[in-house]
Amino acid sequence: LAPKDRLPKSLKKEMKGLSWSAYSKEKPYILVAGPVPGEMYEKMILPILAPDPAKDDKVEFGKETLYFGGNRGRGQVYPEGNKSNNNQFFAEADGTIKAIDSLKVTIQKKDGTTLEQTVLPGADLVVTVGEEVRKDEPITTNPNVGGFGQAEKEVILQDMNRVYAFCALSFSIFLSQLSFVLKKKQFEKVQLAEGF
């Protein structure tokens, strides 16, 4: 992971304040970021530095595969069993909506008793005061836009000396082919001049 002091200003601006960190000391090659709002971070930039084989004997030139995974949404239930605010809430009884006070919905049952139901922030209420509801009918929208995505990309750590050698080889092959073509043209002109 590239240290923050080595990131150019343009890259920092493009990252929009996103912060990456190692998953743990035992697994520093696993990098994580988040949780972050999905609307703001549809595209996430991961700044990594290429290792230098001249400085580290363990690093070898070659191809490496990077695996990316993203999870959208959170757990539906807390460890205690309570619902998270990533759930759709349903009416706990038949009746009429008597009052809505911020995140508390009061339902008046048919027998006249009232039931106060608390919904968590995240979802929007879809009921209004005076509306009849049935048990297990949704009273909020479903905020759970979840899912998991993954991808893999390959990066190649290339020795620049190999690149230079390849360029030199390609150029020498080009020159030899060019000289063969020119020699052939010269030979054809000689043959035409001699009348063959």
Side-chain angles (χ1 to χ4, degrees), residues 9-191:
K9 286 184 181 179
S10 58
L11 186 61
K12 284 182 183 177
K13 187 176 180 182
E14 205 173 336
M15 288 176 65
K16 303 177 195 167
L18 184 66
S19 178
W20 292 88
S21 60
Y23 178 71
S24 67
K25 288 182 181 178
E26 294 80 30
K27 298 180 180 179
Y29 49 87
I30 299 175
L31 305 172
V32 294
V36 295
E39 297 82 25
M40 186 175 176
Y41 294 102
E42 286 183 20
K43 179 181 167 188
M44 299 171 82
I45 295 170
L46 174 62
I48 56 173
L49 289 175
D52 188 358
K55 294 179 182 173
D56 189 356
D57 295 338
K58 295 177 185 175
V59 176
E60 296 178 0
F61 294 109
K63 192 188 304 184
E64 290 291 331
T65 305
L66 300 177
Y67 299 96
F68 300 92
N71 187 23
R72 186 168 182 182
R74 318 188 268 281
Q76 303 300 313
V77 179
Y78 289 115
E80 302 86 29
N82 304 335
K83 281 186 172 184
S84 75
N85 65 344
N86 204 33
N87 280 281
Q88 185 172 21
F89 287 83
F90 301 91
E92 294 177 358
D94 291 339
T96 307
I97 304 294
K98 185 167 183 183
I100 298 174
D101 181 25
S102 185
L103 298 174
K104 292 186 179 176
V105 178
T106 306
I107 301 172
Q108 184 171 11
K109 298 182 190 175
K110 301 222 186 275
D111 62 2
T113 59
T114 59
L115 169 76
E116 194 174 82
Q117 185 174 346
T118 303
V119 297
L120 295 173
D124 298 321
L125 288 169
V126 294
V127 292
T128 56
V129 175
E131 189 175 331
E132 296 249 344
V133 291
R134 299 186 61 81
K135 187 176 188 318
D136 296 328
E137 186 178 314
I139 59 173
T140 66
T141 57
N142 188 355
N144 184 20
V145 184
F148 181 79
Q150 63 186 35
E152 59 182 71
K153 299 285 179 187
E154 289 182 344
V155 293
I156 298 172
L157 185 61
Q158 188 66 269
D159 184 1
M160 284 310 292
N161 292 329
R162 289 182 187 176
V163 175
Y164 298 144
F166 174 75
C167 291
L169 177 68
S170 300
F171 187 68
S172 64
I173 291 172
F174 169 74
L175 286 179
S176 62
Q177 291 294 321
L178 183 64
S179 64
F180 285 138
V181 169
L182 293 174
K183 192 68 176 167
K184 184 179 177 189
K185 292 284 183 190
Q186 184 184 17
F187 183 69
E188 288 172 353
K189 285 181 183 177
V190 170
Q191 284 183 326

